[in-house]
Amino acid sequence: MKLGLLDQEKLMDAIVNPPVVQIGRLDWTITDALDARHEAMPFVFGKLSKYAEDGRVTVVDEQSRSQINAHAPNLLEASSPFVYLPDYSGLAFLHVWNGIQDDVFPRRFKKIIESAYENFFVGCEVEPVADYQAFVSKLSSIKTFKEIGAKVFPPNPLFGRLWGSLNDYLKKRQASDVTVKEVSVKAGGLRTEVVSLIEHLLIDPAYQPETEPDIADAALLMAADGYGSGRVVGSDGDTDIIVRTADTQKSFLHDKEADPHRLAMLAAAHFRRVSEERDMDH
């Protein structure tokens, strides 16, 4: 999500010409950027990299036949290749075990992009696109819905048809974000159609319910489509269940050393499939 003065071009400019930000003892930036925004399928590739300005490595001293510490300036500690696709406002990145995990990447990416404009009236949020099959499977285990909450942002450029009315509401109110939360302490819990809506969409992307989804259901669907974060709290008998949209992040397999064009094509295919599965439109 691009907020404030941040738009597509400014975001891609920041990826290509990023600042260096210091977090703790490490520096973070984007390296090896490839600007392909003017190609037939536009994209920008880069590697989110963290490194130690005063790095230390262990080397062998041949004369003494011993291991010694040596200074290694700007020692790379981890790097996560990613591709940004402006047609989908979509980002695909590598989860690096014990290096740059999938919960760390969005925070560091956000920090770099916003720092490129000195944090002046710009905002950048990275939210996962939920896997509908996994999401509805988790939701189906809930027998009583006690809480539904979501924080959503205006979409750009795609939006989901089933939450189109909420999208129109955001535009009308000129809201940068909206937070929805419903709680029920009654025995039957909240009345929600979110499971049914997702199940029908998986069967038929053109599915049209008889009535527009209620605002909490629409916000949860919007968050699941990558335009915010959502959480559902419920129970199955005596077992409490919490389901978050971030828990079912859409993912795919690819080579660790990514070829920029191949990664862009593969990521575009997945985003296209998501758009078709959910009947999203511009």
Side-chain angles (χ1 to χ4, degrees):
M1 276 79 69
K2 301 170 292 296
L3 308 173
L5 299 177
L6 189 67
D7 57 21
Q8 292 279 39
E9 292 304 316
K10 283 187 171 63
L11 173 63
M12 291 185 283
D13 287 344
I15 293 174
V16 175
N17 296 294
V20 174
V21 298
Q22 185 175 17
I23 301 175
R25 66 178 184 84
L26 297 174
D27 290 333
W28 293 75
T29 192
I30 295 170
T31 63
D32 304 282
L34 173 62
D35 188 350
R37 70 181 91 175
H38 301 301
E39 294 192 7
M41 186 189 71
F43 71 90
V44 176
F45 172 87
K47 294 180 180 179
L48 180 67
S49 302
K50 67 174 181 178
Y51 59 97
E53 184 178 357
D54 186 24
R56 297 284 171 173
V57 295
T58 302
V59 298
V60 173
D61 180 68
E62 292 184 334
Q63 185 173 1
S64 62
R65 299 293 194 275
S66 61
Q67 297 180 12
I68 60 173
N69 288 325
H71 181 225
N74 297 330
L75 177 66
L76 182 69
E77 295 214 353
S79 179
S80 172
F82 69 87
V83 62
Y84 177 74
L85 303 169
D87 287 348
Y88 299 94
S89 279
L91 188 71
F93 64 89
L94 174 68
H95 167 77
V96 182
W97 292 103
N98 298 320
I100 305 176
Q101 297 89 335
D102 54 6
D103 62 331
V104 173
F105 186 103
R107 300 200 304 269
R108 300 297 182 258
F109 185 84
K110 167 187 171 71
K111 180 73 172 178
I112 291 171
I113 299 301
E114 293 177 352
S115 295
Y117 298 101
E118 299 179 339
N119 301 293
F120 183 76
F121 286 107
V122 294
C124 175
E125 301 288 342
V126 180
E127 295 289 354
V129 176
D131 183 317
Y132 265 11
Q133 289 282 8
F135 189 46
V136 77
S137 177
K138 288 179 178 289
L139 290 177
S140 296
S141 64
I142 297 176
K143 298 299 183 286
T144 303
F145 287 78
K146 298 179 179 179
E147 178 185 318
I148 294 176
K151 181 178 181 180
V152 295
F153 302 83
N156 180 22
L158 295 171
F159 72 92
R161 181 172 43 77
L162 291 192
W163 44 266
S165 59
L166 180 55
N167 180 39
D168 293 339
Y169 175 83
L170 287 167
K171 290 180 179 178
K172 177 183 176 182
R173 304 287 291 183
Q174 296 187 22
S176 59
D177 63 78
V178 167
T179 300
V180 176
K181 183 177 180 180
E182 292 182 343
V183 178
S184 176
V185 295
K186 296 183 178 181
L190 292 167
R191 295 176 179 174
T192 174
E193 296 295 325
V194 68
V195 173
S196 175
L197 290 170
I198 296 176
E199 287 178 339
H200 277 94
L201 272 178
L202 287 171
I203 296 171
D204 178 15
Y207 167 70
Q208 182 63 51
E210 293 182 1
T211 59
E212 286 189 352
D214 293 330
I215 187 169
D217 290 353
L220 193 61
L221 288 174
M222 192 172 180
D225 287 343
Y227 294 106
S229 57
R231 189 179 84 140
V232 177
V233 179
S235 63
D236 179 7
D238 296 330
T239 304
D240 291 330
I241 301 170
I242 299 177
V243 180
R244 298 178 179 84
T245 51
D247 295 338
T248 57
Q249 183 167 341
K250 202 78 160 158
S251 62
F252 58 88
L253 296 175
H254 192 62
D255 297 335
K256 184 177 180 181
E257 296 299 325
D259 173 82
H261 286 85
R262 285 187 59 204
L263 178 59
M265 290 180 62
L266 185 59
H270 281 274
F271 278 117
R272 191 179 307 114
R273 194 171 301 124
V274 167
S275 299
E276 293 170 353
E277 173 188 83
R278 304 173 192 196
D279 197 25
M280 302 180 77
D281 204 351
H282 284 78

